[in-house]
Amino acid sequence: PQTAAAVAARLTTIAPQHALALATVAGRARLVGQDDTTREIRRALQRAQNDEKAPRFFVVVGPDGVGKSRLLQEIKSQLQLEGQRAALGRCPANQASLHQALADLARGLAPAQPSPADAVDEEVLRYLCPDLIKEPRAAIAYSATAERKGLSHAMVKFFQRAATQRPCVLLLDDVEHCDSGTAQVLQELLSLPNQRQVAMVATIAAIAQLPAGLRDLPRQTFTLAALSSSLVKQLCCALLSTGQVPDTFAEAIYAFSEGNPLAIEQLLAL
């Protein structure tokens, strides 16, 4: 096939029900080509718990559409199934809301109803997630509060306490957009001595830089690259729920997508 329309036409002959199949299996299929990286990150997280010299900050680098966000979701699911604590947050590009990523993380770790005795937890949740408080009062205005060192310290304590009983992994998507307040809290948290139970895995675009405050932290970097032609064929088979696709078709998908998983999924959804 020489055009996207030709790809779509050929696709109908290979997998007539491809639209239905794609919606059903896309989640797991997106992990094609990521197994090795997932295992490497899991091993690194394990070392972080046991080795005082091992970094607790892990960065996943790759171009848009290569599967960084899906990788975080998979790691989160695996950790939670094993009984560890894990929460996923995203740094918004516009930074319109200070500490939005921390609010996402706190929401994922907060107890259903914080005990009134947990004064630190309540202060943090009243600021980040006021709707989670049983008897919510007005949310704390960040313009008046975000500069308080006491609040930043309380947020550090909140995430530290989240790992009291079980290891806790914070998963942060698009860390290049992290606001300075969030970066300060995470930098302090990951710099605490004798605190091996908390670690963080963050994604970042290939051409972006880590925000100030996180650049100097010891870290290990993992790179997600575009898929090879053989992996593109494997992904096509997985997305279409079929055992085989013609080599010429897979080669055309590879040429159009340049091995980008998101582009492949979009082509197959035509």
Side-chain angles (χ1 to χ4, degrees):
Q2 299 299 313
T3 66
V7 170
R10 184 67 182 278
L11 182 60
T12 301
T13 65
I14 296 171
Q17 301 298 320
H18 71 276
L20 177 61
L22 191 64
T24 303
V25 303
R28 290 297 304 174
R30 291 188 186 112
L31 297 174
V32 168
Q34 294 186 1
D35 289 344
D36 289 345
T37 304
T38 301
R39 283 192 292 267
E40 290 175 9
I41 294 174
R42 293 297 313 279
R43 286 194 290 265
L45 288 169
Q46 188 63 42
R47 286 195 298 271
Q49 295 176 24
N50 302 317
D51 185 351
E52 292 184 359
K53 296 182 180 180
R56 292 185 288 142
F57 180 30
F58 307 99
V59 181
V60 181
V61 181
D64 291 344
V66 79
K68 302 186 298 295
S69 299
R70 187 66 188 86
L71 178 66
L72 289 189
Q73 293 170 358
E74 175 65 15
I75 292 173
K76 174 177 176 284
S77 298
Q78 290 184 11
L79 292 170
Q80 290 178 331
L81 285 172
E82 295 172 6
Q84 299 188 49
R85 305 198 73 187
L88 177 61
R90 183 176 181 276
C91 300
N94 57 14
Q95 296 189 8
S97 179
L98 186 65
H99 296 140
Q100 179 57 53
L102 291 182
D104 293 341
L105 296 171
R107 191 176 294 277
L109 297 171
Q113 290 295 346
S115 166
D118 296 335
V120 171
D121 287 3
E122 183 170 353
E123 178 185 4
V124 170
L125 292 177
R126 193 176 298 284
Y127 170 63
L128 293 175
C129 314
D131 57 297
L132 296 183
I133 302 297
K134 187 174 183 179
E135 297 179 358
R137 296 190 291 271
I140 301 174
Y142 74 77
S143 59
T145 309
E147 294 180 358
R148 286 174 46 197
K149 292 183 179 180
L151 178 60
S152 293
H153 181 67
M155 288 191 280
V156 172
K157 295 293 290 184
F158 174 88
F159 292 108
Q160 187 179 10
R161 284 158 55 93
T164 301
Q165 302 296 328
R166 292 173 288 165
C168 178
V169 178
L170 307 179
L171 303 151
L172 198 62
D173 208 7
D174 298 332
V175 71
E176 65 268 31
H177 302 310
C178 183
D179 63 81
S180 59
T182 295
Q184 178 183 346
V185 170
L186 295 173
Q187 188 273 336
E188 184 176 346
L189 176 67
L190 295 173
S191 298
L192 290 172
N194 304 318
Q195 183 59 49
R196 309 304 308 174
Q197 294 291 87
V198 179
M200 184 170 78
V201 183
T203 66
I204 188 170
I207 60 174
Q209 289 187 341
L210 286 170
L214 298 180
R215 295 172 195 164
D216 296 331
L217 286 173
R219 64 183 182 272
Q220 183 175 351
T221 299
F222 302 88
T223 300
L224 280 184
L227 300 180
S228 64
S229 58
S230 61
L231 286 175
V232 167
K233 185 174 182 178
Q234 183 180 338
L235 178 57
C236 289
C237 292
L239 286 170
L240 298 173
S241 293
T242 183
Q244 190 62 263
V245 297
D247 289 342
T248 54
F249 178 81
E251 290 168 2
I253 293 291
Y254 177 69
F256 275 107
S257 68
E258 298 182 341
N260 186 291
L262 180 59
I264 293 168
E265 187 176 333
Q266 291 171 340
L267 280 169
L268 296 187
L270 291 173

